[in-house]
Amino acid sequence: MKVTYIVIRILLVGAFVFYLTSCKNKSSSDTKQSLEPQTQDTTRSNVNQKNNSYTDLRNLALSATPEQIGIQIPADQTIIYGVIMDWDVGEGTATLVSFISGDASLYLSSGGGVIGGSGHDNVKQAAAAFINKAEKYLSKTVKTYSTPLPEKKGVKFYFLTNKGKFVGQEQIKNFDNNSSLWLDLFTEGNKLITEIRMTTDKK
């Protein structure tokens, strides 16, 4: 599996620049141990600092609550209501955002991205499949209080739950050689990206 092929296709088709004027105000690691509370860290040299929309939109997604996305979760269960997948694509970082409500987006640290909302049935179904798949991986994650971008040639999965944030990580080479324990989840994420991209192709 070639990890970056979808992002390359998206860049060839063309990306949309996002601006925060349409966004409502929202409250803004080693995988073997929990991290101490600290502010979110999305700073990295491959993030285009001249275009703040990537960092801000990513932070909004990572800080989203069940109430903000319009759902209620039983207090006696641990439920994943959002998954954020970050991965290094060589010249930057791609961030896939998915919520149980069906909303899903792709942000690029270059400042572009693609939005495919819950108004599209294909995206909604793919987002649900991605989050359902994530439930099987919750036991492989650890609780985290920070949300740094992945290291070079790395991928991070952030699970948003009613019990806090959890993180898991993997090396891209393990997806390329099909040896990763996270392969099924990563594949499901790529399917979601394809559905998001298809909604823009139809416009």
Side-chain angles (χ1 to χ4, degrees), residues 43-185:
T43 302
R44 192 170 146 193
S45 59
N46 61 4
V47 175
N48 182 359
Q49 298 300 332
K50 293 183 179 180
N51 190 321
N52 293 325
S53 60
Y54 170 78
T55 296
D56 291 335
L57 287 169
R58 182 176 179 273
N59 283 341
L60 283 174
L62 285 163
S63 62
T65 65
E67 293 75 21
Q68 288 172 329
I69 64 174
I71 63 169
Q72 293 183 340
I73 298 178
D76 60 341
Q77 301 178 37
T78 300
I79 302 295
I80 298 174
Y81 63 86
V83 177
I84 287 84
M85 182 173 76
D86 294 319
W87 77 101
D88 175 67
V89 292
E91 297 302 319
T93 304
T95 295
L96 175 64
V97 174
S98 177
F99 293 113
I100 199 170
S101 60
D103 291 303
S105 302
L106 177 68
Y107 308 141
L108 306 177
S109 63
S110 60
V114 181
I115 288 181
S118 57
H120 302 279
D121 288 339
N122 62 319
V123 173
K124 189 172 183 178
Q125 292 171 7
F130 185 41
I131 291 180
N132 286 338
K133 183 72 69 173
E135 293 283 355
K136 299 179 181 179
Y137 286 84
L138 185 58
S139 62
K140 301 180 185 301
T141 65
V142 295
K143 195 167 187 177
T144 183
Y145 297 93
S146 65
T147 55
L149 292 170
E151 299 297 327
K152 202 70 175 174
K153 298 182 180 180
V155 178
K156 283 193 174 182
F157 299 91
Y158 289 103
F159 295 172
L160 308 184
T161 81
N162 55 320
K163 305 296 184 180
K165 297 184 184 71
F166 293 80
V167 63
Q169 62 185 0
E170 181 59 285
Q171 294 295 309
I172 289 176
K173 65 180 181 180
N174 294 329
F175 293 122
D176 288 338
N177 61 28
N178 295 323
S179 67
S180 176
L181 296 176
W182 295 85
L183 183 60
D184 286 348
L185 183 60

Side-chain angles (χ1 to χ4, degrees), residues 21 27 30 33 65 96 122 124 138 140 186 197 199:
T21 53
S27 56
D30 186 349
Q33 63 181 18
T65 65
L96 175 64
N122 62 319
K124 189 172 183 178
L138 185 58
K140 301 180 185 301
F186 185 76
R197 185 184 59 79
T199 65

